[in-house]
Amino acid sequence: MRPPNYYTAPGFERAGLRRRDSDWIRAAITDAAAQFVPVWRSQNLVVEVTGGEPRAIVLTGDHAALLLEGDPAAHLEHGGVVFLGVIEERPHFALDLSHVETPLETLASPALAASGIPADGSRFADLRQLAGGLARPEGALLALARAMLHWHQRHRFCGVCGSPTSSEEAGHMRLCTNADCKTMHFPRTDPAVIMLVSDGERALLGRNKNFPPGMYSTLAGFVEPGESLEDAVAREVREETAIEVKSVAYHSSQPWPFPGNIMLGFHAEAATSEITVDYGELEDARWYERDWLLQHADDNSFRLPRLDSIARRLVEDWLHRRAGPGAV
Ligand SMILES: [Zn+2]
């Protein structure tokens, strides 16, 4: 069995049926084994270990209480603490520290340092910048914490009536506090399609102006209302490059919490070959020969997308003629 895409963790128990059990949730928060995943303004806490690899830092309930200056359970109601799930019988929670001006200074205090939180090398980092350097379970956990807290920050008010919302079900639903409305809002994950289009031994790759120097990647775009995934693949390819596709085959998916997407990956076959680049979307798009891609190492003249991305996997699996990780 090949590993799934990065940012997923098959062994992670979400324990969804526990979310409505407020007694269990409150007991879990005060459980000495509870772990808190800190997020500060959409950044995750990591430490560089020997060799430069990042490692996630999770906090105990005591650390959480010190940073929050109070009981973490009091932060359930507004979504500052969110139940994530259970790992090896330890309940895990996301902990929003965005209101703390200098959380690193508090973390480096002698009380915390004495309990094993490394003061040196600890930092809040954008998960995207870590580019898959974290162990897979840590990457998945940090992605989930980041995505959940981002959703809470953007849904403090009801989209129907404008009243404040409260966090319910241990952070997995927000309820409008207006008694005449009571609309329930659930965490969003927005679908995007991403596709490697091939024409025999050639693959279609493009770049937009925000990419790092030399980077070319698969095409991608958001699914629109009333559209199938296959239709979205064909439309995005047509809009960006004027290439028509004739077959669209599902490959695999990847949570992409930047800020709240799921990437749905496809391999597609081209029916036409002449590229017309939409310069509003892309800076360039070209056909690349399989043999050339196999022989070319990443450098500033040409590089493939980052290693933790499904885009890279779509390319690599096409280069090596492999099916998706979920295929049997
Ligand atoms: Zn409302």
Side-chain angles (χ1 to χ4, degrees):
M1 187 78 178
R2 296 168 58 217
N5 291 318
Y6 199 78
Y7 298 126
T8 62
F12 181 67
E13 173 54 60
R14 288 176 179 253
L17 297 178
R18 294 292 195 186
R19 294 171 189 162
R20 294 185 192 176
D21 186 343
S22 55
D23 290 342
W24 187 90
I25 291 292
R26 286 181 182 275
I29 285 189
T30 55
D31 187 329
Q35 300 269 275
F36 293 81
V37 183
V39 180
W40 183 71
R41 302 176 188 178
S42 288
Q43 297 188 322
N44 296 100
L45 183 59
V46 295
V47 60
E48 308 284 343
V49 295
T50 310
E53 290 292 300
R55 185 166 57 86
I57 294 180
V58 292
L59 307 176
T60 65
D62 287 346
H63 298 146
L66 196 62
L67 284 157
L68 295 174
E69 298 180 339
D71 180 4
H75 293 257
L76 273 173
E77 191 175 335
H78 67 85
V81 168
V82 171
F83 177 58
L84 299 177
V86 177
I87 303 172
E88 294 177 348
E89 301 185 10
R90 306 183 80 165
H92 281 61
F93 296 87
L95 177 69
D96 188 359
L97 297 177
S98 299
H99 62 289
V100 181
E101 277 305 314
T102 54
L104 275 181
E105 286 183 17
T106 308
L107 281 167
S109 70
L112 286 176
S115 56
I117 300 296
D120 294 333
S122 300
R123 62 188 172 102
F124 282 94
D126 187 331
L127 191 55
R128 279 171 293 197
Q129 305 306 322
L130 301 175
L134 290 163
R136 283 174 169 272
E138 292 189 349
L141 183 64
L142 267 50
L144 173 59
R146 183 191 200 279
M148 288 301 294
L149 293 181
H150 185 272
W151 175 74
H152 277 277
Q153 286 165 359
R154 299 298 176 94
H155 291 80
R156 290 175 177 163
F157 296 92
C158 177
V160 178
C161 75
S163 300
T165 57
S166 64
S167 178
E168 308 288 334
E169 300 184 9
H172 290 262
M173 189 261 278
R174 289 191 78 95
L175 181 66
C176 177
T177 55
N178 175 355
D180 294 330
C181 179
K182 290 185 180 172
T183 298
M184 294 183 287
H185 302 271
F186 293 94
R188 292 188 58 114
T189 187
D190 296 327
V193 289
I194 182 164
M195 45 276 172
L196 181 82
V197 179
S198 61
D199 176 24
E201 291 296 293
R202 305 188 300 171
L204 178 62
L205 301 176
R207 62 170 279 115
N208 75 43
K209 60 180 179 355
N210 298 319
F211 282 3
M215 192 182 101
Y216 278 73
S217 185
T218 54
L219 305 182
F222 288 106
V223 181
E224 295 185 352
E227 190 174 51
S228 72
L229 302 179
E230 293 84 353
D231 288 345
V233 169
R235 175 183 53 76
E236 284 289 343
V237 175
R238 184 185 307 120
E239 286 178 358
E240 295 184 4
T241 63
I243 296 293
E244 298 289 337
V245 297
K246 62 183 177 186
S247 75
V248 177
Y250 178 69
H251 176 278
S252 62
S253 64
Q254 181 180 42
W256 196 248
F258 309 114
N261 303 115
I262 179 154
M263 306 299 284
L264 302 154
F266 294 84
H267 280 160
E269 283 182 46
T272 62
S273 60
E274 185 160 348
I275 297 170
T276 303
V277 176
D278 172 11
Y279 291 105
E281 295 256 0
L282 296 178
E283 190 175 82
D284 190 22
R286 302 179 191 189
W287 292 108
Y288 285 89
E289 296 285 341
R290 187 196 305 267
D291 286 346
W292 187 88
L293 289 169
L294 284 168
Q295 289 163 14
H296 197 285
D298 285 354
D299 61 29
N300 280 344
S301 68
F302 178 86
R303 68 177 66 242
L304 287 171
R306 43 196 274 183
L307 290 168
D308 63 331
S309 67
I310 187 174
R312 181 66 173 252
R313 185 150 203 177
L314 287 167
V315 175
E316 296 282 351
D317 282 358
W318 177 79
L319 285 175
H320 300 284
R321 304 173 197 272
R322 291 187 298 236
V328 292

